Amino acid sequence: MLTKTMTRIGAATAPVLLAALLAGCATSKNKTDTQYVARDVSTLYNAGKYRLDRGQYKLAAALFDEVERQHPYSPWARRAQLMSAFSYYMNRDYSESIAASQRFLAIHTGNKDAPYAYYLIALCYYEQIADVTRDQKITQQSLDALGELIRRYPDTRYAADARLKLDLVNDHLAGKEMEVGRFYQRRGQWLAATLRFRTVVDKYQTTTHTPEALERLVESYLSLGIPEEAQKAAAVLGRNYPGSEWYERSYKLMREHGAKA
């Protein structure tokens, strides 16, 4: 994913560089090769890539951070910032990856790799999306981050992937509204339920939850004694989802209760 940002080191020199790195570091379990020792930038960067290639993501991130710390004005430092963010992401240290990506953007706003930094931030939030029965703060943050990427860099391949992910994010947010709406229904709080289902229909109308939301609006409006609104919801449901289970249920409800209400 980051092959364009990586510096290729000759295969013959890699073992020498790694040996030089390890020779200057403690090898105990608690003192790894991230211990501070002044090292040239290529040695540090190559050591980080060596660890990254072997799945030692946390250690790789620490080494890339060391590149930035010891050589902040080197061109390698810019690459190391993104590689650090990527390593943290691979290790599922999402908060660290977000922080590293944001630091890169703060310093290199117009850099050609800025879209990727925004993409990493969005991925970090996206991969933490919780079940719909739980708080959806992370889901909203994912929605915001994906939207920011699409807004800033609409023609990139990262934006294309972000658009696909938006569908799932919106589906999660709509699912949360449905969960709360059904809870209010079970308690007979029809007005509160109606507000939740209306949010799904108005704000998340392209999600998989819309047919159910419309049917539950029919239920709620009939329970509130507003058959005219129930009829409108049923009509929208019939026009857009005529063969669905939810339309059949709403049609039955309107025949049984609509005329009486």
Side-chain angles (χ1 to χ4, degrees), residues 1 57-58 61 65 81-103 116-130 138-139 141-142 145 165:
M1 195 177 291
Y57 303 123
K58 189 170 185 178
D65 286 343
Q81 281 181 325
L82 268 187
M83 294 297 283
S84 171
F86 176 69
S87 299
Y88 281 125
Y89 163 75
M90 291 298 293
N91 201 50
R92 297 186 180 181
D93 291 335
Y94 295 121
S95 60
E96 292 289 347
S97 180
I98 291 169
S101 299
Q102 290 175 335
R103 189 167 65 252
Y116 182 74
Y118 278 104
Y119 182 64
L120 266 183
I121 292 172
L123 281 182
C124 287
Y125 286 127
Y126 179 81
E127 293 191 7
Q128 296 180 81
I129 292 176
I138 286 290
T139 310
Q141 288 173 314
S142 176
K165 287 179 168 53

Side-chain angles (χ1 to χ4, degrees), residues 161-235:
D161 187 57
R163 291 186 185 95
L164 296 177
K165 287 179 168 53
L166 274 178
D167 290 340
L168 179 60
V169 175
N170 280 317
D171 208 70
H172 269 77
L173 291 172
K176 182 64 176 180
E177 294 294 328
M178 293 299 299
E179 180 72 20
V180 177
R182 287 190 291 263
F183 169 77
Y184 285 136
Q185 270 195 329
R186 290 192 295 270
R187 294 170 63 93
Q189 296 176 274
W190 302 107
L191 181 58
T194 297
L195 293 175
R196 295 292 181 162
F197 300 137
R198 270 257 61 99
T199 297
V200 174
V201 173
D202 295 339
K203 192 174 179 181
Y204 305 110
Q205 58 187 259
T206 60
T207 69
T208 59
H209 299 281
T210 303
E212 181 185 354
L214 285 164
E215 191 278 333
R216 293 193 180 276
L217 278 175
V218 173
E219 294 178 20
S220 299
Y221 284 135
L222 288 174
S223 297
L224 286 168
I226 317 175
E228 297 84 2
E229 293 301 320
Q231 179 62 49
K232 290 178 184 177

